[in-house]
Amino acid sequence: MDDNELFAVLVADVVNGTESLASNPNYRIESVLGTLQLVDNRAGVIATGKSEGGQPQIIVKHYCDAWESLRQALIQGSFFPDLAYNKAQLVPLTRAPIPKDYQLYDCAAGEMWRSWRRRTVAHVHIYTASHWRSVTEISCSGGVVFILLPDLEKETEPKNSRDNI
């Protein structure tokens, strides 16, 4: 089993509330008191996952060697980080299924800004504060992308199937 397959097993186990022991030469999945742990055989625990109140959640050590590959497996399982934890050492990811008829674009902020500016996407939504939020404006200044969101106290739902996330 390669690393990506092992990461997919972890995500599926957290979603399904199952516990399996799986490993490869680089990583292993262990269960400790109802919590699944992804252990890097050289660096120790890099992720934990469990379902609380029916809501699966995974916490990942942001600056680990597996970050990008693990992040891809999590996105495929509809797990998204909250932007509020973007610079944190431990990043909680919550399962937030993509609404029906919507499409996920996983891209860099600069690429999103260019698509917005060229109007190649009708609407953009970002997952933050436990909800999908409609972006009202994207701008770029000095190489920094600024994303304006509506008031975070109000939940915003995508309005039509042509919206992009």
Side-chain angles (χ1 to χ4, degrees):
M1 177 180 303
D2 70 19
D3 294 349
N4 294 330
E5 292 170 326
L6 186 71
F7 299 157
V9 168
L10 172 72
V11 172
D13 284 354
V14 171
V15 169
N16 297 326
T18 58
E19 297 180 7
S20 63
L21 301 176
S23 66
N24 69 18
N26 301 316
Y27 303 97
R28 66 186 183 277
I29 299 171
E30 300 175 343
S31 177
V32 178
L33 300 172
T35 298
L36 292 175
Q37 296 181 336
L38 177 63
V39 181
D40 180 321
N41 292 333
R42 293 169 300 161
V45 176
I46 60 170
T48 61
K50 65 180 176 179
S51 184
E52 289 186 9
Q55 177 64 33
Q57 184 172 22
I58 296 177
I59 299 173
V60 178
K61 187 186 267 186
H62 190 174
Y63 301 103
C64 65
D65 291 341
W67 171 255
E68 190 55 36
S69 297
L70 184 53
R71 188 182 74 80
Q72 289 299 321
L74 290 162
I75 287 172
Q76 291 303 312
S78 292
F79 281 86
F80 298 96
D82 192 310
L83 292 177
Y85 297 95
N86 196 34
K87 301 289 184 192
Q89 292 285 336
L90 299 174
V91 179
L93 293 100
T94 304
R95 190 154 194 258
I98 298 167
K100 187 179 184 306
D101 296 329
Y102 287 74
Q103 184 173 356
L104 174 70
Y105 291 99
D106 180 31
C107 63
E111 187 178 327
M112 181 174 56
W113 171 71
R114 282 188 289 282
S115 294
W116 177 272
R117 189 183 74 201
R118 294 177 186 146
R119 292 181 168 74
T120 57
V121 294
H123 301 279
V124 174
H125 294 84
I126 293 179
Y127 187 77
T128 188
S130 301
H131 298 287
W132 288 108
R133 309 266 176 212
S134 180
V135 172
T136 56
E137 182 63 42
I138 303 174
S139 62
C140 184
S141 177
V144 177
V145 175
F146 298 91
I147 301 170
L148 301 176
L149 301 172
D151 184 357
L152 292 181
E153 296 301 315
K154 297 177 185 173
E155 182 176 344
T156 303
E157 292 296 326
K159 301 231 181 341
N160 67 52
S161 63
R162 293 189 54 217
D163 292 353
N164 293 307
I165 296 174

